[in-house]
Amino acid sequence: GLDQNGLRLTGRNGYSVTFAKNTLPPVKGFWSLTLYNEQHFFAPNALKRYSIGTKNKSLQTNPDGSLTLYVQSESPGADKDSNWLPAPKDADFSLYIRAYWPQADALDGDWTPPPVLKTN
């Protein structure tokens, strides 16, 4: 996986992924942002959280209706933990959006995922 500058994703940095209002992955089923380590396995973490998305009922939207997910090795703060996808400390990783029962927009390129922004 690469960030918005084309650099590899690494647990040495923190990242955010923000879906603007009404731009979540277009699915009839469910979607998730899933993190894999360098060996393409789930990265062990204290929360036992390996993906985040539709099935996380405690996701907090921003005041403008957008949704920001935080991908980093350390907690982004108690007020943001519900939107935190833990990353492995000091190791590279990849992010994938999984779309189950995708709508046409997800298949024909009309919808594109938001960039992964380095936050530190």
Side-chain angles (χ1 to χ4, degrees), residues 12-80:
R12 289 184 291 278
N13 299 325
Y15 303 92
S16 67
V17 177
T18 299
F19 297 90
K21 185 177 183 177
N22 300 321
T23 66
L24 292 175
V27 295
K28 295 176 188 159
F30 61 93
W31 66 269
S32 69
L33 181 67
T34 304
L35 187 148
Y36 295 97
N37 67 15
E38 292 176 291
Q39 292 78 37
H40 302 285
F41 292 109
F42 291 143
N45 64 78
L47 294 183
K48 294 182 171 50
R49 185 180 293 166
Y50 311 107
S51 65
I52 195 164
T54 311
K55 293 185 173 188
N56 298 83
K57 300 304 180 196
S58 62
L59 290 177
Q60 300 292 315
T61 54
N62 299 313
D64 65 1
S66 63
L67 174 68
T68 300
L69 304 177
Y70 303 93
V71 184
Q72 54 197 60
S73 63
E74 301 293 325
S75 166
D79 59 325
K80 297 181 175 94

Side-chain angles (χ1 to χ4, degrees), residues 96-118:
Y96 293 89
I97 290 184
R98 295 178 164 270
Y100 296 87
W101 199 3
Q103 294 177 343
D105 288 1
L107 300 172
D108 63 18
D110 283 347
W111 178 86
T112 54
V116 178
L117 304 177
K118 186 177 168 209

